[in-house]
Amino acid sequence: MPLAVRWGAVRERLGAAERQYGRAAGSVRLLAASKSQPVSAIRELATLGQRAFGESYLQEACPKQDACADLPLEWHFIGPVQGNKAAEVARRFDWVHTLASEVQAERLARARPQHMPPLNVCLQVNIDGETSKAGIAPATVTVLAQAVQALPQLRLRGLMSIPARADGLAAQRRPLRALRELWQGLRGEGFELDTLSMGMSDDLEAAVAEGATITRIGSALFGPRPARAVLRT
Ligand SMILES: *Cc1c(COP(=O)(O)O)cnc(C)c1O
């Protein structure tokens, strides 16, 4: 299926979910998770009007960003923030969705160039307690949020999670609801959060139902990823 058709179909799904769950039209942003996709695909989506792209691996992202430097794109880092990569991530991206420790926050803040606006960050939460999963425990979000808030080079925008795959809307909604409640709790504590980064190709509707403000979509947009990328995910 041509990329433009897939992009239109994903936008249609997003719009339908917004209508179905009483969300304002256009209130949920589409982040194209472009890991393992070529520059040509990014450029084609850009001509259609897609602006936000998510990359998971720094080595892969750098040449792609350089090849798209003439385009007004917004780059979101959605992979693990490894220690030796944090500085480059801070210089090259507009957003980091996967912040999961105070050490990472300090590294990103230190490397964020003064002439750039603060780096937008979301805290990645291990919302369903899967031991193998990246992200902080729900009980520790307030502490990390306070630490991030104290770093002027970072701008705390919200929370992100990658729940375990689940079948059916009700099962998908459960962890996403827990993330939203955690987010609302932080807002109640005075943190000015405006972003809930949740929803992927399989649970986009559940995420919109539970209040996502940005969904990270890969395979529904680009087709199945090559085997290598699946292994690395
Ligand atoms: C690859 C990826 C996605 C997109 O996943 P799909 O299921 O292909 O839509 C979303 N979030 C993160 C963090 C990813 O690495």
Side-chain angles (χ1 to χ4, degrees), residues 33 35 56 78-79 98 160 162 165 199-202 216-220 225 233:
K35 60 166 174 277
S56 308
I78 59 174
T98 44
M160 175 271 206
I162 312 172
R165 280 194 193 285
M200 300 168 50
S201 295
D202 288 341
R216 311 175 310 268
I217 307 298
S219 46
R225 277 186 290 282
T233 307

Side-chain angles (χ1 to χ4, degrees), residues 79-225:
V81 184
Q82 288 158 349
N84 56 341
K85 309 272 173 64
E88 189 85 13
V89 168
R91 288 191 290 266
R92 284 182 163 266
F93 284 81
D94 303 295
W95 285 73
V96 172
H97 289 232
T98 44
L99 184 61
S101 80
E102 207 168 321
V103 171
Q104 287 173 358
E106 282 161 5
R107 285 197 178 114
L108 290 170
R110 204 178 311 126
R112 182 69 170 177
Q114 293 290 337
H115 68 273
M116 293 176 85
L119 181 63
N120 298 293
V121 300
C122 292
L123 309 184
Q124 182 174 358
V125 181
N126 185 354
I127 198 67
D128 44 20
E130 276 195 291
T131 48
S132 63
K133 193 93 68 58
I136 58 171
T140 63
V141 287
T142 298
V143 173
L144 184 54
Q146 282 164 345
V148 171
Q149 196 101 302
L151 298 166
Q153 301 88 344
L154 304 185
R155 182 170 168 212
L156 181 62
R157 300 296 295 264
L159 301 181
M160 175 271 206
S161 191
I162 312 172
R165 280 194 193 285
D167 289 327
L169 192 68
Q172 289 177 344
R173 285 182 68 161
R174 215 166 292 127
L176 301 170
R177 182 178 314 135
L179 189 71
R180 191 241 304 153
E181 288 170 355
L182 193 61
W183 181 80
Q184 285 171 330
L186 285 172
R187 281 163 54 112
E189 292 172 37
F191 293 99
E192 289 173 18
L193 309 182
D194 62 6
T195 302
L196 255 180
S197 169
M198 59 189 198
M200 300 168 50
S201 295
D202 288 341
D203 61 356
L204 182 161
E205 284 79 10
V208 172
E210 291 299 341
T213 66
I214 184 162
T215 52
R216 311 175 310 268
I217 307 298
S219 46
L221 203 48
F222 297 104
R225 277 186 290 282

Side-chain angles (χ1 to χ4, degrees), residues 34-116:
S34 50
K35 60 166 174 277
S36 84
Q37 300 302 328
V39 167
S40 58
I42 294 173
R43 297 194 73 94
E44 186 181 345
L45 285 184
T47 59
L48 298 171
Q50 179 64 35
R51 212 163 153 246
F53 291 86
E55 288 284 336
S56 308
Y57 307 104
L58 185 66
Q59 309 96 295
E60 181 194 328
C62 293
K64 288 158 77 172
Q65 291 176 323
D66 292 346
C68 295
D70 58 314
L71 300 174
L73 304 183
E74 194 179 275
W75 292 99
H76 296 239
F77 193 73
I78 59 174
V81 184
Q82 288 158 349
N84 56 341
K85 309 272 173 64
E88 189 85 13
V89 168
R91 288 191 290 266
R92 284 182 163 266
F93 284 81
D94 303 295
W95 285 73
V96 172
H97 289 232
T98 44
L99 184 61
S101 80
E102 207 168 321
V103 171
Q104 287 173 358
E106 282 161 5
R107 285 197 178 114
L108 290 170
R110 204 178 311 126
R112 182 69 170 177
Q114 293 290 337
H115 68 273
M116 293 176 85

